[in-house]
Amino acid sequence: MAQVQRMSRLMVKTLRDDPADAETLSHKLLVRAGYVRRNAAGIWTWLPLGKKVLDNISRVVREEMDAIGAQEVLLPALLPKEPYEASARWEEYGDLLFRLKDRKGAEYLLGPTHEEIFTLVVKDQVASYKDLPVMLYQIQTKYRDEARPRSGVLRGREFQMKDSYSFDITDEGLAESYGLHREAYQKIFARIGLDYRIVSAVSGAMGGSASEEFLAPAAAGEDTFVDCPACDYAANTEAVTFKLTPVSGEHGAVEELDTPDTPTIETLAEHLGVPASATLKNLLVKVDGEIVAVGVPGDREVDLGKLGEHLAPAVVELVTAEDFEGREDLVRGYVGPQGLEKVRYIADPRIAPGTAWITGANKINTHAKNVVAGRDFEVDDYLDVVVVQEGDPCPACGTGLKMDRAIEIGHIFQLGRKYADTFGLDVLGQQGKPVRVTMGSYGIGVSRAVAALAEQSADDQGLCWPKEIAPADVHVVAAGKALQTELALDVSEKLGAAGVRVLVDDRAGVSPGVKFTDAELIGVPTILVAGRRSAEGVVELKDRRTGEREELTVEEAIARLTA
């Protein structure tokens, strides 16, 4: 028997107008439909309807995680500093960590993710290769001190997340655990009704090697990804690569050019009458305080996020005017890679050996042409560092890439032995010797998935939930009169007895128009109306998504909904 929830007793307050501070569709509708309430910036209360949706997503996650043999645990959210200090993430996370002290001065944090703690749990509980592989998961509240929490529950300071971790003896075992999670995620997102893409990604502060994101395309998304219209390639923009292809050909000798007042690519290109793509831009940054030059084509920008990912855990920051003081080799606005001394030179693969460029001559008001990579200067490291643009070649087939916005709903990592090395996670192997364990880490944003579903499925009237995660299967509306209310309650009880989850609007003194508007706004997938033909035992059945309506007898409607 399923629950019959009467709206006359339900704590729900719907709104006709959008909240003044709401920017995204999900933010507007989840507040207007009475699913969530804001407490402070990035901190939300889940009201009864919202908690049902949140719990339904959690249920699907649990079922699919249990199906692959993962075991559920619950770790604390309040965590000691020392494990995160040992992994260096106490510093790497920077201002994103909520840090606090107890009355004795001991330092703690509110967990943003739990690799360190899970590693220590397994180290304490597992001693032999016979105890592995093991997969553990939890669904728990996480905390990140976002500088600008926004978009409702999409980017909060407190959020619900499923994080799981695999522990294996071999790399082959890790690959198998990773594959099991990948398949489980596909089933989870299909069951809850999300349109998603699996894209290549970077690991960031998580560490490790192989990494993929599950993205839900949506206009409100804060992630940008690319996909190829000709093949199955898809990637986060930070993970897109460009093949390094040396170029052959003859070029003249380096020639200096008088270029007064041209410290920018725009002024240089205009002065010489050349496209910006013919010039070489050299951006100076500081990496852990040391000046480094980064070369990209003049018509492209350096993606500082990408650069930071490549150089992590080093800190990357732009140089300032003070950094040029006492450095005669660095002429602001006229830097070129040829002749640079004691400066590490990083270049995008587009600056391939054999390519010729117009670039700074390391003299005021002077540039140089025919500056050839590999002949006139050497590149210390090739890294993909440009901001990706639509039309860039697909790394797999060469077709122009397309770009889209999306919400990150899941991320899976092959961490390898990073955390096992940090904490000495060894087990006794088959040969009687210690063997270092290898790990995987896998996350799903449970509360974020609620917002992503709202973004993808809502229409002009309101929310429109997939059945698997909706707060009810059927929304029964009593159009107003006593007879209609009596019939609505009778139908609701019969449906509930048959296992159908029912939300019935039996509110007295509320007009039929308001009830119908609320039914559209709340978004239960099927609406049953006890209306003008109630005396004849006839009700109206409406599909919330398609808008299709059909009049049926009560018996026919119950049979349809319980089939």
Side-chain angles (χ1 to χ4, degrees), residues 5-31:
Q5 178 67 65
R6 299 173 64 158
M7 286 189 69
S8 61
R9 301 173 185 173
L10 177 67
M11 190 180 72
V12 60
K13 179 181 179 182
T14 58
L15 304 174
R16 299 281 77 85
D17 299 318
D18 294 334
D21 62 338
E23 298 177 355
T24 61
L25 184 62
S26 59
H27 186 178
K28 296 172 184 176
L29 293 178
L30 289 172
V31 173

PDB file of all heavy atoms in Angstrom, residues 5-31:
ATOM      1  N   GLN A   5      -1.095  11.294   0.021  1.00  0.00           N
ATOM      2  CA  GLN A   5      -0.769  12.568   0.670  1.00  0.00           C
ATOM      3  C   GLN A   5      -1.837  13.602   0.327  1.00  0.00           C
ATOM      4  O   GLN A   5      -2.034  13.951  -0.837  1.00  0.00           O
ATOM      5  CB  GLN A   5       0.596  13.067   0.205  1.00  0.00           C
ATOM      6  CG  GLN A   5       0.992  14.412   0.788  1.00  0.00           C
ATOM      7  CD  GLN A   5       1.236  14.357   2.282  1.00  0.00           C
ATOM      8  OE1 GLN A   5       2.152  13.696   2.740  1.00  0.00           O
ATOM      9  NE2 GLN A   5       0.398  15.045   3.048  1.00  0.00           N
ATOM     10  N   ARG A   6      -2.544  14.057   1.347  1.00  0.00           N
ATOM     11  CA  ARG A   6      -3.595  15.069   1.139  1.00  0.00           C
ATOM     12  C   ARG A   6      -2.981  16.456   1.239  1.00  0.00           C
ATOM     13  O   ARG A   6      -2.308  16.788   2.221  1.00  0.00           O
ATOM     14  CB  ARG A   6      -4.707  14.880   2.167  1.00  0.00           C
ATOM     15  CG  ARG A   6      -5.367  13.523   2.062  1.00  0.00           C
ATOM     16  CD  ARG A   6      -6.354  13.245   3.178  1.00  0.00           C
ATOM     17  NE  ARG A   6      -7.500  14.169   3.159  1.00  0.00           N
ATOM     18  CZ  ARG A   6      -8.674  13.899   3.718  1.00  0.00           C
ATOM     19  NH1 ARG A   6      -8.860  12.719   4.315  1.00  0.00           N
ATOM     20  NH2 ARG A   6      -9.656  14.774   3.679  1.00  0.00           N
ATOM     21  N   MET A   7      -3.236  17.281   0.233  1.00  0.00           N
ATOM     22  CA  MET A   7      -2.657  18.628   0.221  1.00  0.00           C
ATOM     23  C   MET A   7      -3.245  19.507   1.313  1.00  0.00           C
ATOM     24  O   MET A   7      -2.618  20.492   1.710  1.00  0.00           O
ATOM     25  CB  MET A   7      -2.826  19.278  -1.156  1.00  0.00           C
ATOM     26  CG  MET A   7      -1.881  18.680  -2.203  1.00  0.00           C
ATOM     27  SD  MET A   7      -1.871  19.577  -3.776  1.00  0.00           S
ATOM     28  CE  MET A   7      -1.086  21.121  -3.313  1.00  0.00           C
ATOM     29  N   SER A   8      -4.410  19.150   1.830  1.00  0.00           N
ATOM     30  CA  SER A   8      -4.982  19.907   2.939  1.00  0.00           C
ATOM     31  C   SER A   8      -4.133  19.752   4.199  1.00  0.00           C
ATOM     32  O   SER A   8      -4.224  20.562   5.123  1.00  0.00           O
ATOM     33  CB  SER A   8      -6.421  19.444   3.215  1.00  0.00           C
ATOM     34  OG  SER A   8      -6.449  18.060   3.566  1.00  0.00           O
ATOM     35  N   ARG A   9      -3.276  18.718   4.222  1.00  0.00           N
ATOM     36  CA  ARG A   9      -2.414  18.484   5.382  1.00  0.00           C
ATOM     37  C   ARG A   9      -0.929  18.603   5.038  1.00  0.00           C
ATOM     38  O   ARG A   9      -0.077  18.390   5.905  1.00  0.00           O
ATOM     39  CB  ARG A   9      -2.687  17.080   5.947  1.00  0.00           C
ATOM     40  CG  ARG A   9      -4.134  16.876   6.372  1.00  0.00           C
ATOM     41  CD  ARG A   9      -4.406  15.431   6.761  1.00  0.00           C
ATOM     42  NE  ARG A   9      -5.820  15.206   7.069  1.00  0.00           N
ATOM     43  CZ  ARG A   9      -6.350  14.017   7.299  1.00  0.00           C
ATOM     44  NH1 ARG A   9      -5.561  12.935   7.254  1.00  0.00           N
ATOM     45  NH2 ARG A   9      -7.639  13.888   7.559  1.00  0.00           N
ATOM     46  N   LEU A  10      -0.637  18.890   3.790  1.00  0.00           N
ATOM     47  CA  LEU A  10       0.754  18.969   3.329  1.00  0.00           C
ATOM     48  C   LEU A  10       1.307  20.375   3.542  1.00  0.00           C
ATOM     49  O   LEU A  10       0.636  21.362   3.227  1.00  0.00           O
ATOM     50  CB  LEU A  10       0.826  18.613   1.840  1.00  0.00           C
ATOM     51  CG  LEU A  10       2.193  18.706   1.164  1.00  0.00           C
ATOM     52  CD1 LEU A  10       3.141  17.651   1.715  1.00  0.00           C
ATOM     53  CD2 LEU A  10       2.032  18.552  -0.352  1.00  0.00           C
ATOM     54  N   MET A  11       2.524  20.458   4.061  1.00  0.00           N
ATOM     55  CA  MET A  11       3.173  21.762   4.195  1.00  0.00           C
ATOM     56  C   MET A  11       3.773  22.147   2.842  1.00  0.00           C
ATOM     57  O   MET A  11       4.880  21.764   2.491  1.00  0.00           O
ATOM     58  CB  MET A  11       4.276  21.741   5.257  1.00  0.00           C
ATOM     59  CG  MET A  11       4.799  23.141   5.582  1.00  0.00           C
ATOM     60  SD  MET A  11       6.098  23.165   6.839  1.00  0.00           S
ATOM     61  CE  MET A  11       7.466  22.476   5.934  1.00  0.00           C
ATOM     62  N   VAL A  12       2.992  22.875   2.071  1.00  0.00           N
ATOM     63  CA  VAL A  12       3.441  23.338   0.763  1.00  0.00           C
ATOM     64  C   VAL A  12       2.826  24.707   0.504  1.00  0.00           C
ATOM     65  O   VAL A  12       1.645  24.932   0.744  1.00  0.00           O
ATOM     66  CB  VAL A  12       3.051  22.343  -0.357  1.00  0.00           C
ATOM     67  CG1 VAL A  12       1.545  22.149  -0.428  1.00  0.00           C
ATOM     68  CG2 VAL A  12       3.596  22.814  -1.701  1.00  0.00           C
ATOM     69  N   LYS A  13       3.669  25.609   0.043  1.00  0.00           N
ATOM     70  CA  LYS A  13       3.235  26.958  -0.281  1.00  0.00           C
ATOM     71  C   LYS A  13       3.756  27.291  -1.670  1.00  0.00           C
ATOM     72  O   LYS A  13       4.961  27.452  -1.872  1.00  0.00           O
ATOM     73  CB  LYS A  13       3.779  27.957   0.742  1.00  0.00           C
ATOM     74  CG  LYS A  13       3.382  29.406   0.467  1.00  0.00           C
ATOM     75  CD  LYS A  13       3.988  30.337   1.515  1.00  0.00           C
ATOM     76  CE  LYS A  13       3.613  31.790   1.234  1.00  0.00           C
ATOM     77  NZ  LYS A  13       4.241  32.699   2.232  1.00  0.00           N
ATOM     78  N   THR A  14       2.840  27.335  -2.630  1.00  0.00           N
ATOM     79  CA  THR A  14       3.245  27.655  -3.996  1.00  0.00           C
ATOM     80  C   THR A  14       3.182  29.160  -4.221  1.00  0.00           C
ATOM     81  O   THR A  14       2.439  29.875  -3.549  1.00  0.00           O
ATOM     82  CB  THR A  14       2.344  26.945  -5.019  1.00  0.00           C
ATOM     83  OG1 THR A  14       0.990  27.340  -4.805  1.00  0.00           O
ATOM     84  CG2 THR A  14       2.470  25.438  -4.887  1.00  0.00           C
ATOM     85  N   LEU A  15       3.993  29.613  -5.170  1.00  0.00           N
ATOM     86  CA  LEU A  15       4.082  31.041  -5.472  1.00  0.00           C
ATOM     87  C   LEU A  15       3.716  31.282  -6.931  1.00  0.00           C
ATOM     88  O   LEU A  15       4.045  30.486  -7.810  1.00  0.00           O
ATOM     89  CB  LEU A  15       5.504  31.557  -5.214  1.00  0.00           C
ATOM     90  CG  LEU A  15       6.085  31.325  -3.818  1.00  0.00           C
ATOM     91  CD1 LEU A  15       7.548  31.763  -3.789  1.00  0.00           C
ATOM     92  CD2 LEU A  15       5.274  32.076  -2.772  1.00  0.00           C
ATOM     93  N   ARG A  16       3.062  32.391  -7.193  1.00  0.00           N
ATOM     94  CA  ARG A  16       2.705  32.738  -8.573  1.00  0.00           C
ATOM     95  C   ARG A  16       3.868  33.393  -9.314  1.00  0.00           C
ATOM     96  O   ARG A  16       4.009  33.269 -10.530  1.00  0.00           O
ATOM     97  CB  ARG A  16       1.506  33.690  -8.587  1.00  0.00           C
ATOM     98  CG  ARG A  16       0.241  33.147  -7.971  1.00  0.00           C
ATOM     99  CD  ARG A  16      -0.525  32.198  -8.922  1.00  0.00           C
ATOM    100  NE  ARG A  16       0.059  30.879  -9.021  1.00  0.00           N
ATOM    101  CZ  ARG A  16      -0.182  29.864  -8.180  1.00  0.00           C
ATOM    102  NH1 ARG A  16      -0.975  30.040  -7.142  1.00  0.00           N
ATOM    103  NH2 ARG A  16       0.366  28.696  -8.354  1.00  0.00           N
ATOM    104  N   ASP A  17       4.742  34.096  -8.581  1.00  0.00           N
ATOM    105  CA  ASP A  17       5.821  34.851  -9.213  1.00  0.00           C
ATOM    106  C   ASP A  17       7.169  34.226  -8.902  1.00  0.00           C
ATOM    107  O   ASP A  17       7.364  33.583  -7.858  1.00  0.00           O
ATOM    108  CB  ASP A  17       5.811  36.312  -8.735  1.00  0.00           C
ATOM    109  CG  ASP A  17       4.520  37.025  -9.099  1.00  0.00           C
ATOM    110  OD1 ASP A  17       4.036  36.829 -10.219  1.00  0.00           O
ATOM    111  OD2 ASP A  17       4.000  37.768  -8.234  1.00  0.00           O
ATOM    112  N   ASP A  18       8.133  34.457  -9.792  1.00  0.00           N
ATOM    113  CA  ASP A  18       9.491  33.963  -9.588  1.00  0.00           C
ATOM    114  C   ASP A  18      10.174  34.723  -8.458  1.00  0.00           C
ATOM    115  O   ASP A  18       9.943  35.934  -8.291  1.00  0.00           O
ATOM    116  CB  ASP A  18      10.327  34.155 -10.859  1.00  0.00           C
ATOM    117  CG  ASP A  18       9.832  33.308 -12.005  1.00  0.00           C
ATOM    118  OD1 ASP A  18       9.225  32.259 -11.753  1.00  0.00           O
ATOM    119  OD2 ASP A  18      10.055  33.703 -13.173  1.00  0.00           O
ATOM    120  N   PRO A  19      11.018  34.052  -7.672  1.00  0.00           N
ATOM    121  CA  PRO A  19      11.797  34.763  -6.652  1.00  0.00           C
ATOM    122  C   PRO A  19      12.680  35.826  -7.305  1.00  0.00           C
ATOM    123  O   PRO A  19      13.216  35.621  -8.407  1.00  0.00           O
ATOM    124  CB  PRO A  19      12.655  33.655  -6.032  1.00  0.00           C
ATOM    125  CG  PRO A  19      11.960  32.385  -6.381  1.00  0.00           C
ATOM    126  CD  PRO A  19      11.285  32.613  -7.688  1.00  0.00           C
ATOM    127  N   ALA A  20      12.840  36.933  -6.646  1.00  0.00           N
ATOM    128  CA  ALA A  20      13.581  38.053  -7.233  1.00  0.00           C
ATOM    129  C   ALA A  20      15.030  37.717  -7.526  1.00  0.00           C
ATOM    130  O   ALA A  20      15.625  38.245  -8.477  1.00  0.00           O
ATOM    131  CB  ALA A  20      13.501  39.266  -6.297  1.00  0.00           C
ATOM    132  N   ASP A  21      15.634  36.837  -6.726  1.00  0.00           N
ATOM    133  CA  ASP A  21      17.058  36.530  -6.892  1.00  0.00           C
ATOM    134  C   ASP A  21      17.316  35.315  -7.767  1.00  0.00           C
ATOM    135  O   ASP A  21      18.461  34.906  -7.949  1.00  0.00           O
ATOM    136  CB  ASP A  21      17.713  36.313  -5.523  1.00  0.00           C
ATOM    137  CG  ASP A  21      17.110  35.126  -4.779  1.00  0.00           C
ATOM    138  OD1 ASP A  21      15.965  34.742  -5.097  1.00  0.00           O
ATOM    139  OD2 ASP A  21      17.782  34.587  -3.883  1.00  0.00           O
ATOM    140  N   ALA A  22      16.251  34.722  -8.321  1.00  0.00           N
ATOM    141  CA  ALA A  22      16.413  33.492  -9.096  1.00  0.00           C
ATOM    142  C   ALA A  22      16.809  33.799 -10.535  1.00  0.00           C
ATOM    143  O   ALA A  22      16.194  34.643 -11.196  1.00  0.00           O
ATOM    144  CB  ALA A  22      15.126  32.685  -9.065  1.00  0.00           C
ATOM    145  N   GLU A  23      17.838  33.101 -11.028  1.00  0.00           N
ATOM    146  CA  GLU A  23      18.310  33.303 -12.396  1.00  0.00           C
ATOM    147  C   GLU A  23      18.014  32.100 -13.292  1.00  0.00           C
ATOM    148  O   GLU A  23      17.722  32.263 -14.468  1.00  0.00           O
ATOM    149  CB  GLU A  23      19.814  33.577 -12.396  1.00  0.00           C
ATOM    150  CG  GLU A  23      20.210  34.842 -11.642  1.00  0.00           C
ATOM    151  CD  GLU A  23      21.715  35.033 -11.597  1.00  0.00           C
ATOM    152  OE1 GLU A  23      22.438  34.128 -12.064  1.00  0.00           O
ATOM    153  OE2 GLU A  23      22.166  36.081 -11.108  1.00  0.00           O
ATOM    154  N   THR A  24      18.115  30.897 -12.743  1.00  0.00           N
ATOM    155  CA  THR A  24      17.929  29.704 -13.547  1.00  0.00           C
ATOM    156  C   THR A  24      16.512  29.166 -13.404  1.00  0.00           C
ATOM    157  O   THR A  24      15.820  29.420 -12.416  1.00  0.00           O
ATOM    158  CB  THR A  24      18.925  28.605 -13.137  1.00  0.00           C
ATOM    159  OG1 THR A  24      18.696  28.254 -11.764  1.00  0.00           O
ATOM    160  CG2 THR A  24      20.361  29.094 -13.298  1.00  0.00           C
ATOM    161  N   LEU A  25      16.092  28.382 -14.397  1.00  0.00           N
ATOM    162  CA  LEU A  25      14.743  27.824 -14.403  1.00  0.00           C
ATOM    163  C   LEU A  25      14.503  26.937 -13.194  1.00  0.00           C
ATOM    164  O   LEU A  25      13.447  27.010 -12.544  1.00  0.00           O
ATOM    165  CB  LEU A  25      14.543  27.028 -15.694  1.00  0.00           C
ATOM    166  CG  LEU A  25      13.152  26.445 -15.934  1.00  0.00           C
ATOM    167  CD1 LEU A  25      12.111  27.549 -16.031  1.00  0.00           C
ATOM    168  CD2 LEU A  25      13.151  25.594 -17.202  1.00  0.00           C
ATOM    169  N   SER A  26      15.463  26.081 -12.870  1.00  0.00           N
ATOM    170  CA  SER A  26      15.283  25.172 -11.731  1.00  0.00           C
ATOM    171  C   SER A  26      15.142  25.939 -10.430  1.00  0.00           C
ATOM    172  O   SER A  26      14.339  25.567  -9.561  1.00  0.00           O
ATOM    173  CB  SER A  26      16.447  24.186 -11.647  1.00  0.00           C
ATOM    174  OG  SER A  26      17.687  24.857 -11.503  1.00  0.00           O
ATOM    175  N   HIS A  27      15.936  26.991 -10.266  1.00  0.00           N
ATOM    176  CA  HIS A  27      15.856  27.821  -9.055  1.00  0.00           C
ATOM    177  C   HIS A  27      14.447  28.403  -8.928  1.00  0.00           C
ATOM    178  O   HIS A  27      13.807  28.323  -7.870  1.00  0.00           O
ATOM    179  CB  HIS A  27      16.909  28.915  -9.137  1.00  0.00           C
ATOM    180  CG  HIS A  27      17.034  29.752  -7.898  1.00  0.00           C
ATOM    181  ND1 HIS A  27      17.956  30.758  -7.765  1.00  0.00           N
ATOM    182  CD2 HIS A  27      16.332  29.757  -6.729  1.00  0.00           C
ATOM    183  CE1 HIS A  27      17.834  31.318  -6.579  1.00  0.00           C
ATOM    184  NE2 HIS A  27      16.847  30.733  -5.933  1.00  0.00           N
ATOM    185  N   LYS A  28      13.937  28.967 -10.001  1.00  0.00           N
ATOM    186  CA  LYS A  28      12.616  29.582  -9.974  1.00  0.00           C
ATOM    187  C   LYS A  28      11.532  28.564  -9.631  1.00  0.00           C
ATOM    188  O   LYS A  28      10.698  28.783  -8.746  1.00  0.00           O
ATOM    189  CB  LYS A  28      12.314  30.219 -11.332  1.00  0.00           C
ATOM    190  CG  LYS A  28      13.234  31.370 -11.712  1.00  0.00           C
ATOM    191  CD  LYS A  28      12.993  31.810 -13.147  1.00  0.00           C
ATOM    192  CE  LYS A  28      13.971  32.897 -13.567  1.00  0.00           C
ATOM    193  NZ  LYS A  28      13.819  33.265 -14.998  1.00  0.00           N
ATOM    194  N   LEU A  29      11.544  27.440 -10.334  1.00  0.00           N
ATOM    195  CA  LEU A  29      10.438  26.494 -10.203  1.00  0.00           C
ATOM    196  C   LEU A  29      10.485  25.692  -8.909  1.00  0.00           C
ATOM    197  O   LEU A  29       9.436  25.399  -8.324  1.00  0.00           O
ATOM    198  CB  LEU A  29      10.417  25.559 -11.406  1.00  0.00           C
ATOM    199  CG  LEU A  29      10.062  26.230 -12.743  1.00  0.00           C
ATOM    200  CD1 LEU A  29      10.110  25.213 -13.877  1.00  0.00           C
ATOM    201  CD2 LEU A  29       8.694  26.900 -12.677  1.00  0.00           C
ATOM    202  N   LEU A  30      11.669  25.305  -8.454  1.00  0.00           N
ATOM    203  CA  LEU A  30      11.739  24.547  -7.202  1.00  0.00           C
ATOM    204  C   LEU A  30      11.269  25.389  -6.017  1.00  0.00           C
ATOM    205  O   LEU A  30      10.675  24.859  -5.074  1.00  0.00           O
ATOM    206  CB  LEU A  30      13.165  24.042  -6.966  1.00  0.00           C
ATOM    207  CG  LEU A  30      13.628  22.914  -7.897  1.00  0.00           C
ATOM    208  CD1 LEU A  30      15.115  22.637  -7.695  1.00  0.00           C
ATOM    209  CD2 LEU A  30      12.814  21.649  -7.673  1.00  0.00           C
ATOM    210  N   VAL A  31      11.526  26.689  -6.060  1.00  0.00           N
ATOM    211  CA  VAL A  31      11.025  27.578  -5.010  1.00  0.00           C
ATOM    212  C   VAL A  31       9.535  27.813  -5.184  1.00  0.00           C
ATOM    213  O   VAL A  31       8.750  27.685  -4.231  1.00  0.00           O
ATOM    214  CB  VAL A  31      11.799  28.911  -5.017  1.00  0.00           C
ATOM    215  CG1 VAL A  31      11.163  29.905  -4.033  1.00  0.00           C
ATOM    216  CG2 VAL A  31      13.265  28.691  -4.641  1.00  0.00           C
TER     217      VAL A  31
END
